[in-house]
Amino acid sequence: MLIRIVEILFPLFAITALGYFVGRRVKPDLSHANKLNMDVFVPALVFAALANKAFDVSAYLPLILATTLMVVGSGLVAWAVARVAGIEPKTLVPPIMFNNCGNLGLPLAVLAFGEAALAPMVVLFMVSNLIHFSFGAWLFDHRVNVFPVWKVPSVMATFLGIAVSLTQFEVWPPLLTAIRMLGEISIPLMLFGLGVRLAGSRIDSIGFGLFGAVLRPVVGMALAWAIMLVIELPPREQALLLVFGALPPAVLNYMFAERYGQEPDKVASMVLIGNVAAVLFLSIALAMVLD
């Protein structure tokens, strides 16, 4: 079991570590590459996963509900913890609500459970993204217009892919192959970009960062277990939900905190320490779900 877990996690953290090393030594500007990834490659990955006759969106409704409950429930728990601990809720709540389901979650699902796990993981990813770009932005600024969330390329690709699946429209196979090939660029680029971004982060609040880094997967896995008691899911989706719960805070939380001036140094500490601690928590989650 230990060897299998190492074999699953090693490629993820090896590519991330390489990105971190290059980020420290070379300090490359990946802003254009990251924009291309979010605007072209990730949408291609999402569309290719959803736009096939085997994808039935109605079959994923329980998973959509479970994911929504997990994200919202994590936020409520974080808000309660923040009030009790005297922490500014806007600093703690987003990193606990929104995990690294893109950079780590998508490749981890494929490595651990095979290509068949990509579509349900994309469902988890898109539910989290929709809430992050709408409610997550509103949380920082109640005056923000959440309508542009529908213009996010990965969101547009989601609805287009679902529409193709529902209508049983057959995309020309060579075109679908080209889209799938573009999507395959996104996963290693996300991991490498994650490492480069972490290389530019600072740890100014070690205690606070460690607190958030532990709270995120503990709350996530506990909620996943509780939700699975009331919502019946297939075994693979149960495993993905538990792994989803164990993921660390998303790097996007730091970008939001920096944009809105919400203690970005503390959030950066949670993100950096959380992604390092993910080696432990993802190992625990995989040990719980692998046969």
Side-chain angles (χ1 to χ4, degrees):
M1 177 66 73
L2 178 61
I3 294 174
R4 187 177 176 190
I5 291 173
V6 170
E7 289 175 344
I8 291 170
L9 294 180
F10 179 81
L12 305 180
F13 289 99
I15 297 174
T16 304
L18 177 62
Y20 182 86
F21 176 77
V22 172
R24 297 288 290 184
R25 294 295 298 272
V26 184
K27 296 181 173 57
D29 182 6
L30 291 186
S31 57
H32 296 296
N34 289 330
K35 181 172 175 55
L36 272 174
N37 205 20
M38 296 308 298
D39 290 350
V40 179
F41 305 140
V42 171
L45 178 75
V46 170
F47 179 82
L50 303 182
N52 64 77
K53 294 180 179 180
F55 181 83
D56 179 9
V57 66
S58 62
Y60 290 106
L61 292 179
L63 182 61
I64 292 172
L65 175 59
T67 308
T68 304
L69 290 176
M70 276 196 67
V71 175
V72 174
S74 296
L76 292 174
V77 172
W79 178 82
V81 170
R83 295 299 297 268
V84 171
I87 301 171
E88 170 58 48
K90 289 183 181 180
T91 301
L92 184 65
V93 171
I96 306 304
M97 281 187 75
F98 306 113
N99 61 28
N100 211 344
C101 54
N103 298 78
L104 286 179
L106 290 172
L108 177 58
V110 174
L111 286 171
F113 308 107
E115 288 292 333
L118 181 59
M121 195 65 203
V122 163
V123 171
L124 289 159
F125 169 68
M126 288 316 305
V127 170
S128 181
N129 258 20
L130 278 171
I131 300 175
H132 201 167
F133 281 102
S134 54
F135 175 76
W138 177 86
L139 189 63
F140 287 108
D141 184 358
H142 293 351
R143 297 167 298 178
V144 72
N145 179 15
V146 299
F147 180 76
V149 67
W150 307 109
K151 299 179 182 179
V152 174
S154 57
V155 174
M156 294 174 63
T158 298
F159 288 103
L160 183 59
I162 291 174
V164 169
S165 175
L166 287 175
T167 59
Q168 294 291 291
F169 178 80
E170 185 174 355
V171 180
W172 187 41
L175 175 60
L176 189 58
T177 299
I179 295 172
R180 188 175 291 112
M181 290 174 66
L182 281 174
E184 290 171 353
I185 298 173
S186 66
I187 289 179
L189 184 55
M190 281 192 290
L191 291 170
F192 188 83
L194 172 62
V196 173
R197 283 176 176 171
L198 292 178
S201 301
R202 302 187 305 274
I203 303 180
D204 292 333
S205 306
I206 295 178
F208 186 87
L210 185 60
F211 175 72
V214 173
L215 185 65
R216 157 93 279 284
V218 168
V219 169
M221 286 191 289
L223 281 173
W225 175 79
I227 289 170
M228 285 188 292
L229 293 178
V230 296
I231 298 179
E232 186 175 351
L233 297 172
R236 182 190 291 123
E237 292 178 19
Q238 289 183 355
L240 287 172
L241 193 68
L242 189 63
V243 170
F244 178 84
L247 290 167
V251 177
L252 192 59
N253 290 303
Y254 168 68
M255 299 168 67
F256 269 71
E258 189 173 45
R259 176 181 178 182
Y260 292 101
Q262 187 59 50
E263 300 184 287
D265 291 341
K266 289 185 176 181
V267 176
S269 297
M270 278 191 284
V271 170
L272 181 55
I273 296 175
N275 278 272
V276 173
V279 176
L280 172 62
F281 289 105
L282 289 177
S283 297
I284 293 172
L286 288 173
M288 296 172 65
V289 299
L290 293 176
D291 295 329

